[in-house]
Amino acid sequence: MSVLRDLSTRASARPAHIVMSEGHDPRVVAGAVAAVKTGTARITLVGPQDRVAAALVAAGEINNPALQIEDPETSALSASLASAFYELRKHKGVTPEIAESEVRKPLVFSALMVREGHADGTVGGAVATTSDTVRAALQIIGKAKEAPLVSSFFLMALPENHPSGRDGMIFGDCGLVIDPTSEELAAIAVASAASCRALLETEPVVALLSFSTHGSARHSSVSKVAAAAALLKENHPGLRADGELQFDAAFVPQVAASKAKGSSVAGEANVMIFPNLDAGNIGYKIAQRIGGADAIGPVLQGLSKPANDLSRGCTAADVTNMIAVTVLQVAR
């Protein structure tokens, strides 16, 4: 069973209520309809009533109780959500009038639905930028108390029968933290390892990536990665992690044998931690566009409740897969 089929099957066994902030977008509607048909989730589509209803009709769905519409302009929830937003942000100068205006924005409305317990998780970003999508999640849903920071990862589903023997990997952070410190890299590694266990149901093998392997090059960026690896070994000795490692040493056993002898990670890593957002963003897109991997994300980790971001280039299938990932985050 492929990673993506497995995600859908597991999510269908414990469906959740997911709110989509861009309910008028045809890709979002098609992805939501597919998720409902497999029993993955109950969906609320947020947006103008007439546009969302027309999109549902075009998708062949009429009066399905598992697909609901909430229009922030007319919703019975808007007044209470505006009040909640005012209480949350009044220390930042938000007035009741501003709150009433803000809650009409689908990203804000959807995040407030999750915060106030009207939905279990939210997905956006098919139309909105990552910065707007993540800002709403951070300001309204907020960081989990136990999380050092909010970061992101991509679940990379490799083509079936991949020569490496792997079927899925975690790439982090490829969408949010621009230039993490050593401490932040270590925190991203720990969170990504937990996401690996939850979504891939396998023990994480974590590689902290660099252009150097175990001191083969000297540079401040190499030292940053090596320091993060040292922090992991000190604070999380039970986590199988190593660095700094070049990607080929982390991924290919034959290369690992020559470049990183004695490493418990080299050649076997399934969680790749990139040193900065440049490397991570480029790396996942190369794996996706040249390597043929399906890239699900960016998936946010470290929030108090699930909220995830889609690429603006996403397909309907990407939306369905992200809904399944969000459902599984709810169940953790």
Side-chain angles (χ1 to χ4, degrees), residues 7 10 151-155 169-172 187-204 206 239 270-271 273 299-302 308 325 328-329 332:
L7 286 175
R10 288 165 51 212
S151 61
S152 77
F153 66 91
F154 276 80
L155 191 161
M169 301 180 70
I170 300 293
F171 281 15
I188 292 167
V190 171
S192 298
S195 294
C196 177
R197 289 191 188 96
L199 297 180
L200 298 180
E201 291 193 315
T202 189
E203 277 303 301
V206 182
L239 179 62
N270 56 15
V271 178
I273 305 301
V299 183
L300 302 182
Q301 52 191 4
N308 287 316
V325 166
L328 291 174
Q329 286 181 308
R332 284 172 61 178

Side-chain angles (χ1 to χ4, degrees), residues 283-296:
Y284 99 78
K285 288 181 177 176
I286 289 174
Q288 178 187 35
R289 301 300 180 182
I290 296 179
D294 284 305
I296 311 304

Side-chain angles (χ1 to χ4, degrees), residues 1-303:
M1 180 179 291
S2 75
V3 168
L4 300 182
R5 288 197 301 271
D6 183 51
L7 286 175
S8 177
T9 299
R10 288 165 51 212
S12 298
R14 41 188 175 181
H17 179 194
I18 306 300
V19 57
M20 313 296 292
S21 59
E22 295 152 338
H24 65 284
D25 186 272
R27 298 165 298 169
V28 170
V29 172
V33 167
V36 165
K37 284 182 177 178
T38 60
T40 301
R42 180 165 60 93
I43 301 290
T44 292
L45 297 165
V46 174
Q49 176 76 29
D50 55 347
R51 293 182 66 189
V52 179
L56 280 171
V57 170
E61 283 292 336
I62 302 173
N63 298 326
N64 187 332
L67 283 162
Q68 299 294 318
I69 301 172
E70 288 288 353
D71 185 342
E73 294 287 347
T74 59
S75 173
L77 296 174
S78 292
S80 63
L81 295 183
S83 177
F85 186 77
Y86 166 67
E87 292 298 328
L88 178 66
R89 303 292 293 171
K90 63 183 179 183
H91 69 289
K92 293 290 187 178
V94 170
T95 64
E97 293 75 21
I98 291 174
E100 288 178 8
S101 175
E102 286 294 303
V103 84
R104 296 190 185 101
K105 298 177 180 178
L107 281 171
V108 173
F109 186 96
S110 300
L112 283 165
M113 279 189 66
V114 175
R115 179 183 174 88
E116 295 301 300
H118 299 292
D120 299 309
T122 182
V123 175
V127 179
T129 64
T130 289
S131 59
D132 287 342
T133 305
V134 173
R135 185 183 305 111
L138 287 172
Q139 290 183 349
I140 296 169
I141 296 174
K143 184 176 74 66
K145 290 181 180 178
E146 69 277 7
L149 80 166
V150 175
S151 61
S152 77
F153 66 91
F154 276 80
L155 191 161
M156 306 299 293
L158 304 188
E160 292 196 49
N161 302 312
H162 193 272
S164 70
R166 298 169 177 83
D167 54 7
M169 301 180 70
I170 300 293
F171 281 15
D173 182 336
C174 303
L176 186 56
V177 185
I178 295 173
D179 189 16
T181 64
S182 296
E183 292 77 11
E184 288 171 334
L185 272 179
I188 292 167
V190 171
S192 298
S195 294
C196 177
R197 289 191 188 96
L199 297 180
L200 298 180
E201 291 193 315
T202 189
E203 277 303 301
V205 183
V206 182
L208 291 100
L209 300 177
S210 175
F211 63 85
S212 169
T213 294
H214 290 176
S216 65
R218 295 179 181 273
H219 190 273
S220 58
S221 62
V222 175
S223 300
K224 178 181 81 169
V225 176
L231 285 171
L232 286 177
K233 289 178 182 178
E234 178 182 354
N235 298 322
H236 301 274
L239 179 62
R240 194 175 164 193
D242 194 17
E244 82 283 5
L245 292 169
Q246 291 165 286
F247 187 92
D248 57 354
F251 190 71
V252 182
Q254 295 87 340
V255 177
S258 63
K259 284 188 174 183
K261 293 178 181 179
S263 172
S264 65
V265 167
E268 300 181 30
N270 56 15
V271 178
M272 301 292 189
I273 305 301
F274 292 84
N276 56 44
L277 195 56
D278 282 329
N281 187 270
I282 293 166
Y284 99 78
K285 288 181 177 176
I286 289 174
Q288 178 187 35
R289 301 300 180 182
I290 296 179
D294 284 305
I296 311 304
V299 183
L300 302 182
Q301 52 191 4
L303 291 168

